[in-house]
Amino acid sequence: MFIEQEFYLWKLTYDLVVAQDFQVLNMSAERGEVWLEKEQGWQTHVIRLSHKQINWRNELRRDLEKSYRQLSQNKKLFRGGKVQFHVLYVSEYPPVEEWENVESDISSSQNNPISIYYMDDENKTVEKKKLYEAFQLEEPIIDQQVSESEMEAMLPYLKQQLVKKQQDQRRQVLSIFDYGKPQVTYFLLAVNVLIFLYIEWVGESTSVDTLIQYGAKFNPAIMDGEWWRIATSMFLHIGFLHLFMNMFALYYLGTAVEKLYGTWRFTWIYVLSGLFGGVASFMLNPHVAAGASGAIFGLFGSLLFFGVQHKQLFFRTMGWNLIFIVILNISFGLLVPQIDNGAHIGGMVGGFIATATVRMPKQMNKPKQLAALAVFLLLISSMAFTGYKGLFNNEKGFSEVQETHDLNQSGDYDEVIEITSETLADPGRYEAALLFNRSFAYLQKGETSEAKEDLLRVLELSPKMAEAHYNLALLYQQVGEEDKAADHAERAADINPDQEDFKELYENLR
């Protein structure tokens, strides 16, 4: 009878949603139709449950094709993985024609797997068992040995509870994105801007010497024990454009992550990502570096962790856009020599692992969190050791670069020339840096031909060194070779557009 089929449909739906934690996508009590969803592993399962009598094979096929059209119209809800489609009918009688091969026909024609469960009165038990086995769930008892009046009395309650569960699920999703308030994000924005303004006030944020003085990542100083530079470099920026881009990213990513994870988790993720990215930069990048990029890429990592925990929700909201931005940033970093890819990629990896140590709110798992913390500590200590060992044991000329840089600052130019000349007999990969330091010493002593020779060799080895182009432009200007001076001044300004001295010299020469 009709009431028995309706009762069975809603009792089965009630168990799947309330007991088995299926998500309600759409529900129509009038049509006797419900769409549910469940993630299992990395696959999305969508179930359409319908109270409908199907009489003919072609009628079943048309109804399945209609179901596929409805699924494809909402395909944006299921991006990020393959969808396994299940269609379940509850009716009194099966179709009068053979229909079993329709399942394989539809699957092949739609290029998408489908499972059909036809629960007529004679096959309800078998088909229900098949459904629950597909999801590895414990099969419920759906008692139909009740009177029609009892069924009619229970139906409004079942539907009401399902509506309530659907509303609760929606509220739960909204609460995920509004767990915390972006307080620390705004604090970090203010701190970074204030430090930038202070650096500009006392010096120039594009000056390497100023950056080193105020805590930039400088490998020679770190080798001397100034490991605090890994942290302080997170709050320094090289020019206004660098600051603007990082603060723009921090505003949007920071507010999103802090709302997702809450204030203390966000702070933990940001700090650990910055430290992880800084140590990765120490290991991979020999140049002076500064900026919040490592910590900001750590926020990308935390959002990717959210995607692992809530795959469907991730792809319905930020998923593909976030992945595109990450790929774009990494690709851009690989193409532009000045970008510190070690800090970027290291920060993102560190952010993912740091997030795993605290996890999502209300999803605590102490063994997994401790394991993630152990992995984080092992990796960051391994990178620090590898960087230190590589620089200390294998990098010829490294300590001499640091020493001659300091001697140039103190005005001991003769000693700079002596040390660099000896070291250049076997300089390792620091030949360009040593030659540049020696050229600076020659310039200060007025030995312009020697300085010019060193600078030309520097640009053969490192054509993107803006400071070498600038110094060479000054030399050519002194001897009246204006065209060559303008050419090198233009290259210096192109490589480092934030350096006002470079732009000013180029403007004067062109």
Side-chain angles (χ1 to χ4, degrees), residues 180-182 185-186 250-260 266:
K181 295 181 179 180
T185 299
Y186 297 143
L250 176 58
Y251 174 77
Y252 283 101
L253 288 172
T255 52
V257 172
E258 195 166 358
K259 284 182 178 180
L260 271 174
F266 168 80

Side-chain angles (χ1 to χ4, degrees), residues 14 153-162:
Y14 179 86
M154 291 180 66
L155 275 172
Y157 170 79
L158 293 173
K159 295 176 183 179
Q160 182 185 25
Q161 290 300 304
L162 286 169

Side-chain angles (χ1 to χ4, degrees), residues 140-158:
I141 297 174
I142 300 178
D143 186 8
Q144 283 190 276
Q145 304 305 313
V146 293
S147 66
E148 287 186 34
S149 59
E150 289 175 317
M151 291 182 186
E152 289 179 352
M154 291 180 66
L155 275 172
Y157 170 79
L158 293 173

Side-chain angles (χ1 to χ4, degrees), residues 28-84:
S28 173
E30 295 79 11
R31 296 197 307 270
E33 183 174 294
V34 186
W35 288 70
L36 305 179
E37 174 200 18
K38 188 176 182 66
E39 291 180 40
Q40 201 165 43
W42 281 93
Q43 190 170 48
T44 300
H45 295 265
V46 177
I47 305 181
R48 176 199 172 210
L49 301 97
S50 177
H51 175 204
K52 178 180 289 189
Q53 177 63 52
I54 302 290
N55 295 312
W56 305 100
R57 185 180 186 277
N58 284 338
E59 184 182 352
L60 175 62
R61 185 182 183 92
R62 285 194 300 272
D63 190 73
L64 291 171
E65 289 172 345
K66 178 183 175 183
S67 298
Y68 260 117
R69 285 195 297 272
Q70 290 177 269
L71 184 69
S72 62
Q73 287 169 1
N74 294 280
K75 62 183 179 181
K76 65 180 181 180
L77 298 177
F78 313 112
R79 293 183 296 181
K82 196 172 184 179
V83 177
Q84 172 69 51

Side-chain angles (χ1 to χ4, degrees), residues 1-47:
M1 296 179 66
F2 183 87
I3 188 67
E4 292 178 358
Q5 322 311 323
E6 186 179 16
F7 176 78
Y8 193 90
L9 171 75
W10 292 107
K11 192 71 181 293
L12 179 62
T13 304
Y14 179 86
D15 178 74
L16 291 172
V17 173
V18 176
Q20 310 298 347
D21 203 30
F22 279 68
Q23 302 292 308
V24 179
L25 294 175
N26 188 38
M27 184 169 63
S28 173
E30 295 79 11
R31 296 197 307 270
E33 183 174 294
V34 186
W35 288 70
L36 305 179
E37 174 200 18
K38 188 176 182 66
E39 291 180 40
Q40 201 165 43
W42 281 93
Q43 190 170 48
T44 300
H45 295 265
V46 177
I47 305 181

Side-chain angles (χ1 to χ4, degrees), residues 339-352:
I339 291 178
D340 190 349
N341 291 298
H344 289 185
I345 298 173
M348 185 164 60
V349 172
F352 187 93

